[in-house]
Amino acid sequence: MDVPPTARPGRQRLSAEQRRHALVDATVTVVAARGYDGAALADIAAAAGVSKGLIWHYFADGDDLMVHTARSTLVKLRDAVVADLDLEAPVPAVIRAAINRAAELPDTHPRELAALSAIIHNLRAPDGSPRLGLDEYEETYAGQEELFRRGQREGSLRQLDPRLMAVTYQGAVDTMLTYLQAHPDTNAADYARSLADLLLGGMAATPSPSRGPVNGSTDSNPDDAE
């Protein structure tokens, strides 16, 4: 599968940060299209519209490029979920809206999800252990913990360990995304509603009423809790 070069603005000289961004975007494109093992550095350079040797000017090696790509993509996906959310709304409503938004990622960001999954599952340290793990979620966990603590102060969430809540929440969302990618015919909105019911049933001070099983019929609007 051919991968088109990343669009560049004429002969404008790019800054180092812009060049790194172009290489990361090209890496996402190539890995998503050809898989991790098929993502040759020469192809990534060609997709970015640069010479292969320029990669080493900005990254220590191919693994460094992959690590940087995975981390940047994780931030991009997280930002896509929280964008335009009303973070001042009651915390259970924020949680439900965020899960709804996350369930849309396979449609809105399929390239990024495919590349991130491929890199995380294939990039290895010299001893064979994964190069990327739960430590990559620290910033994500911190933001979630802050939200959960606000819910506890306001009385909408139970007094559970915020870190436990964050790890459980993020793990459930990641599993949802993996399932939706593997089963594209699944009704993502129904899955999101059911997942929110399950999580809020355990976290909310007053459990949220059920809104129907995954792929079941429902008359509720997926956005009415936002």
Side-chain angles (χ1 to χ4, degrees):
M1 181 177 179
D2 293 333
V3 178
T6 301
R8 292 181 299 160
R11 293 180 176 273
Q12 177 183 354
R13 184 177 180 83
L14 300 182
S15 67
E17 187 57 33
Q18 289 173 320
R19 189 72 74 186
R20 289 191 188 92
H21 177 78
L23 285 166
V24 165
D25 188 63
T27 302
V28 169
T29 298
V30 174
V31 172
R34 301 181 179 174
Y36 183 85
D37 292 334
L41 291 180
D43 295 332
I44 291 172
V50 302
S51 66
K52 180 179 175 181
L54 197 62
I55 292 177
W56 282 272
H57 184 72
Y58 297 103
F59 300 96
D61 52 28
D63 283 2
D64 185 40
L65 172 59
M66 291 295 175
V67 168
H68 192 87
T69 297
R71 289 172 175 166
S72 297
T73 302
L74 186 63
V75 171
K76 181 176 182 178
L77 292 172
R78 183 179 70 222
D79 290 347
V81 170
V82 302
D84 301 325
L85 288 183
D86 180 7
L87 297 179
E88 300 303 316
V91 171
V94 175
I95 293 171
R96 188 176 292 278
I99 294 173
N100 288 338
R101 188 72 58 82
E104 297 172 355
L105 290 177
D107 288 330
T108 61
H109 293 73
R111 189 176 61 109
E112 289 83 358
L113 282 176
L116 180 61
S117 177
I119 295 172
I120 288 176
H121 288 96
N122 289 279
L123 186 60
R124 300 283 163 172
D127 64 359
S129 62
R131 280 286 301 271
L132 300 166
L134 293 180
D135 288 348
E136 309 304 326
Y137 282 105
E138 279 305 313
E139 187 174 345
T140 300
Y141 290 153
Q144 292 165 348
E145 288 179 62
E146 182 178 351
L147 178 69
F148 297 152
R149 288 192 181 96
R150 176 166 75 84
Q152 291 173 335
R153 291 194 299 270
E154 295 172 351
S156 60
L157 296 186
R158 297 171 58 193
Q159 296 297 320
L160 301 171
D161 182 350
R163 171 50 62 105
L164 172 62
M165 297 167 75
V167 172
T168 301
Y169 170 87
Q170 189 60 50
V173 169
D174 287 346
T175 299
M176 174 182 70
L177 291 174
T178 299
Y179 187 89
L180 292 176
Q181 286 177 279
H183 301 85
D185 292 336
T186 301
N187 187 313
D190 281 350
Y191 194 127
R193 282 192 295 271
S194 294
L195 179 58
D197 289 341
L198 287 170
L199 291 175
L200 289 172
M203 294 191 300
T206 301
S208 175
S210 175
R211 295 189 173 214
V214 173
N215 285 332
S217 62
T218 177
D219 295 327
S220 60
N221 187 320
D223 297 324
D224 61 8
E226 298 180 29

